[in-house]
Amino acid sequence: MQSMTHLFALIGRILIAALFLDSGFGKIGGFQGLIGTVASKGFPVPEVFAALTIVLELVAGLMLVVGWKARWAALALAAFTVLLSFLFHNFWAMPEAQVAMQKIQFLKNMGMIGGLLYIAAFGAGRFSVDKR
C-alpha cells in the first residue's frame, strides 16, 4: 500500500501541475489579452504582472511535476490562486448572467488550493527529486 501512496502523490502532483502548465503556455499565445485583463483590475505595470504570472505558472508547475521544492512551489501556487480567485472570479460581485460560471471557477480554484496545501503539508512523496 505504501508504494500506491507514493504513486498517487506523483499522479496528483502531475494533475494539479497540468492545470498551471496548460494555463501558462496558453497565456504566452494570448499575452496581449492577458495584459488587458491584468490592467482591467488596476494593477500597475500590467506587462510585468502578466509576465510574472506566466513564469510562476510554468516554473512552479514544472517544480511540482518533478517534485523539486514541491512544498514551496505548492505554497506559491496556492497564494497565487487565492489572489486570482478573489480578484477575477468574485462571483458575488458579478452580473447575474456571469454568477454561475464564475462560482464554478471560484470553487474549482478552492479545490486546487486544497490540493496544493496538501502537497505543502505532506511533501511530494518518494517519486520526486526531494523524495519526501
Side-chain angles (χ1 to χ4, degrees), residues 97-110:
Q98 295 180 22
V99 169
M101 182 53 70
Q102 293 302 325
K103 186 175 184 180
I104 288 169
Q105 294 299 320
F106 183 87
L107 293 174
K108 172 203 46 110
N109 285 358
M110 294 302 109

PDB file of all heavy atoms in Angstrom, residues 97-110:
ATOM      1  N   ALA A  97     -25.864  37.146 -15.025  1.00  0.00           N
ATOM      2  CA  ALA A  97     -25.576  36.226 -16.128  1.00  0.00           C
ATOM      3  C   ALA A  97     -24.227  35.537 -15.971  1.00  0.00           C
ATOM      4  O   ALA A  97     -24.002  34.481 -16.558  1.00  0.00           O
ATOM      5  CB  ALA A  97     -25.621  36.981 -17.456  1.00  0.00           C
ATOM      6  N   GLN A  98     -23.327  36.095 -15.178  1.00  0.00           N
ATOM      7  CA  GLN A  98     -21.985  35.524 -15.011  1.00  0.00           C
ATOM      8  C   GLN A  98     -21.807  34.773 -13.696  1.00  0.00           C
ATOM      9  O   GLN A  98     -20.792  34.100 -13.509  1.00  0.00           O
ATOM     10  CB  GLN A  98     -20.944  36.641 -15.073  1.00  0.00           C
ATOM     11  CG  GLN A  98     -20.862  37.330 -16.398  1.00  0.00           C
ATOM     12  CD  GLN A  98     -19.814  38.435 -16.385  1.00  0.00           C
ATOM     13  OE1 GLN A  98     -18.904  38.435 -15.563  1.00  0.00           O
ATOM     14  NE2 GLN A  98     -19.953  39.380 -17.297  1.00  0.00           N
ATOM     15  N   VAL A  99     -22.776  34.875 -12.798  1.00  0.00           N
ATOM     16  CA  VAL A  99     -22.613  34.317 -11.451  1.00  0.00           C
ATOM     17  C   VAL A  99     -22.328  32.820 -11.471  1.00  0.00           C
ATOM     18  O   VAL A  99     -21.378  32.356 -10.834  1.00  0.00           O
ATOM     19  CB  VAL A  99     -23.839  34.646 -10.564  1.00  0.00           C
ATOM     20  CG1 VAL A  99     -23.810  33.846  -9.262  1.00  0.00           C
ATOM     21  CG2 VAL A  99     -23.894  36.133 -10.260  1.00  0.00           C
ATOM     22  N   ALA A 100     -23.114  32.035 -12.183  1.00  0.00           N
ATOM     23  CA  ALA A 100     -22.958  30.578 -12.153  1.00  0.00           C
ATOM     24  C   ALA A 100     -21.569  30.158 -12.635  1.00  0.00           C
ATOM     25  O   ALA A 100     -20.897  29.357 -11.975  1.00  0.00           O
ATOM     26  CB  ALA A 100     -24.044  29.907 -12.989  1.00  0.00           C
ATOM     27  N   MET A 101     -21.117  30.696 -13.763  1.00  0.00           N
ATOM     28  CA  MET A 101     -19.810  30.305 -14.302  1.00  0.00           C
ATOM     29  C   MET A 101     -18.677  30.764 -13.391  1.00  0.00           C
ATOM     30  O   MET A 101     -17.725  30.012 -13.142  1.00  0.00           O
ATOM     31  CB  MET A 101     -19.618  30.866 -15.712  1.00  0.00           C
ATOM     32  CG  MET A 101     -18.298  30.444 -16.338  1.00  0.00           C
ATOM     33  SD  MET A 101     -17.963  28.660 -16.341  1.00  0.00           S
ATOM     34  CE  MET A 101     -19.138  28.084 -17.515  1.00  0.00           C
ATOM     35  N   GLN A 102     -18.758  31.977 -12.888  1.00  0.00           N
ATOM     36  CA  GLN A 102     -17.696  32.474 -12.008  1.00  0.00           C
ATOM     37  C   GLN A 102     -17.673  31.720 -10.681  1.00  0.00           C
ATOM     38  O   GLN A 102     -16.607  31.496 -10.113  1.00  0.00           O
ATOM     39  CB  GLN A 102     -17.842  33.980 -11.785  1.00  0.00           C
ATOM     40  CG  GLN A 102     -17.595  34.803 -13.025  1.00  0.00           C
ATOM     41  CD  GLN A 102     -16.214  34.562 -13.617  1.00  0.00           C
ATOM     42  OE1 GLN A 102     -15.226  34.348 -12.927  1.00  0.00           O
ATOM     43  NE2 GLN A 102     -16.146  34.597 -14.947  1.00  0.00           N
ATOM     44  N   LYS A 103     -18.836  31.291 -10.206  1.00  0.00           N
ATOM     45  CA  LYS A 103     -18.883  30.491  -8.976  1.00  0.00           C
ATOM     46  C   LYS A 103     -18.212  29.141  -9.196  1.00  0.00           C
ATOM     47  O   LYS A 103     -17.462  28.656  -8.344  1.00  0.00           O
ATOM     48  CB  LYS A 103     -20.324  30.309  -8.510  1.00  0.00           C
ATOM     49  CG  LYS A 103     -20.433  29.614  -7.173  1.00  0.00           C
ATOM     50  CD  LYS A 103     -21.872  29.574  -6.692  1.00  0.00           C
ATOM     51  CE  LYS A 103     -21.962  28.974  -5.309  1.00  0.00           C
ATOM     52  NZ  LYS A 103     -23.362  28.924  -4.839  1.00  0.00           N
ATOM     53  N   ILE A 104     -18.456  28.531 -10.344  1.00  0.00           N
ATOM     54  CA  ILE A 104     -17.801  27.261 -10.678  1.00  0.00           C
ATOM     55  C   ILE A 104     -16.287  27.458 -10.706  1.00  0.00           C
ATOM     56  O   ILE A 104     -15.536  26.646 -10.147  1.00  0.00           O
ATOM     57  CB  ILE A 104     -18.309  26.725 -12.033  1.00  0.00           C
ATOM     58  CG1 ILE A 104     -19.740  26.226 -11.886  1.00  0.00           C
ATOM     59  CG2 ILE A 104     -17.395  25.623 -12.569  1.00  0.00           C
ATOM     60  CD1 ILE A 104     -20.430  25.934 -13.211  1.00  0.00           C
ATOM     61  N   GLN A 105     -15.815  28.516 -11.365  1.00  0.00           N
ATOM     62  CA  GLN A 105     -14.379  28.795 -11.443  1.00  0.00           C
ATOM     63  C   GLN A 105     -13.799  29.025 -10.043  1.00  0.00           C
ATOM     64  O   GLN A 105     -12.713  28.536  -9.719  1.00  0.00           O
ATOM     65  CB  GLN A 105     -14.104  29.994 -12.347  1.00  0.00           C
ATOM     66  CG  GLN A 105     -14.447  29.767 -13.796  1.00  0.00           C
ATOM     67  CD  GLN A 105     -13.644  28.640 -14.408  1.00  0.00           C
ATOM     68  OE1 GLN A 105     -12.455  28.480 -14.160  1.00  0.00           O
ATOM     69  NE2 GLN A 105     -14.296  27.828 -15.215  1.00  0.00           N
ATOM     70  N   PHE A 106     -14.511  29.781  -9.224  1.00  0.00           N
ATOM     71  CA  PHE A 106     -14.050  30.069  -7.867  1.00  0.00           C
ATOM     72  C   PHE A 106     -13.931  28.776  -7.054  1.00  0.00           C
ATOM     73  O   PHE A 106     -12.912  28.531  -6.411  1.00  0.00           O
ATOM     74  CB  PHE A 106     -15.019  31.044  -7.190  1.00  0.00           C
ATOM     75  CG  PHE A 106     -14.593  31.463  -5.818  1.00  0.00           C
ATOM     76  CD1 PHE A 106     -13.736  32.545  -5.653  1.00  0.00           C
ATOM     77  CD2 PHE A 106     -15.036  30.800  -4.686  1.00  0.00           C
ATOM     78  CE1 PHE A 106     -13.331  32.943  -4.383  1.00  0.00           C
ATOM     79  CE2 PHE A 106     -14.637  31.184  -3.423  1.00  0.00           C
ATOM     80  CZ  PHE A 106     -13.779  32.262  -3.271  1.00  0.00           C
ATOM     81  N   LEU A 107     -14.966  27.950  -7.100  1.00  0.00           N
ATOM     82  CA  LEU A 107     -14.955  26.706  -6.324  1.00  0.00           C
ATOM     83  C   LEU A 107     -13.914  25.723  -6.843  1.00  0.00           C
ATOM     84  O   LEU A 107     -13.280  25.005  -6.058  1.00  0.00           O
ATOM     85  CB  LEU A 107     -16.348  26.081  -6.303  1.00  0.00           C
ATOM     86  CG  LEU A 107     -17.388  26.898  -5.531  1.00  0.00           C
ATOM     87  CD1 LEU A 107     -18.774  26.292  -5.692  1.00  0.00           C
ATOM     88  CD2 LEU A 107     -17.013  27.020  -4.053  1.00  0.00           C
ATOM     89  N   LYS A 108     -13.722  25.678  -8.166  1.00  0.00           N
ATOM     90  CA  LYS A 108     -12.649  24.849  -8.739  1.00  0.00           C
ATOM     91  C   LYS A 108     -11.305  25.296  -8.178  1.00  0.00           C
ATOM     92  O   LYS A 108     -10.471  24.476  -7.787  1.00  0.00           O
ATOM     93  CB  LYS A 108     -12.653  24.945 -10.261  1.00  0.00           C
ATOM     94  CG  LYS A 108     -11.463  24.266 -10.911  1.00  0.00           C
ATOM     95  CD  LYS A 108     -11.130  24.789 -12.283  1.00  0.00           C
ATOM     96  CE  LYS A 108     -11.100  26.270 -12.413  1.00  0.00           C
ATOM     97  NZ  LYS A 108      -9.812  26.906 -12.606  1.00  0.00           N
ATOM     98  N   ASN A 109     -11.110  26.602  -8.129  1.00  0.00           N
ATOM     99  CA  ASN A 109      -9.857  27.123  -7.580  1.00  0.00           C
ATOM    100  C   ASN A 109      -9.691  26.762  -6.113  1.00  0.00           C
ATOM    101  O   ASN A 109      -8.582  26.468  -5.663  1.00  0.00           O
ATOM    102  CB  ASN A 109      -9.786  28.636  -7.771  1.00  0.00           C
ATOM    103  CG  ASN A 109      -9.489  29.029  -9.193  1.00  0.00           C
ATOM    104  OD1 ASN A 109      -9.300  28.186 -10.063  1.00  0.00           O
ATOM    105  ND2 ASN A 109      -9.455  30.313  -9.451  1.00  0.00           N
ATOM    106  N   MET A 110     -10.771  26.779  -5.343  1.00  0.00           N
ATOM    107  CA  MET A 110     -10.686  26.392  -3.931  1.00  0.00           C
ATOM    108  C   MET A 110     -10.250  24.932  -3.809  1.00  0.00           C
ATOM    109  O   MET A 110      -9.438  24.583  -2.945  1.00  0.00           O
ATOM    110  CB  MET A 110     -12.024  26.607  -3.215  1.00  0.00           C
ATOM    111  CG  MET A 110     -12.452  28.063  -3.086  1.00  0.00           C
ATOM    112  SD  MET A 110     -11.275  29.108  -2.208  1.00  0.00           S
ATOM    113  CE  MET A 110     -10.658  30.103  -3.561  1.00  0.00           C
TER     114      MET A 110
END
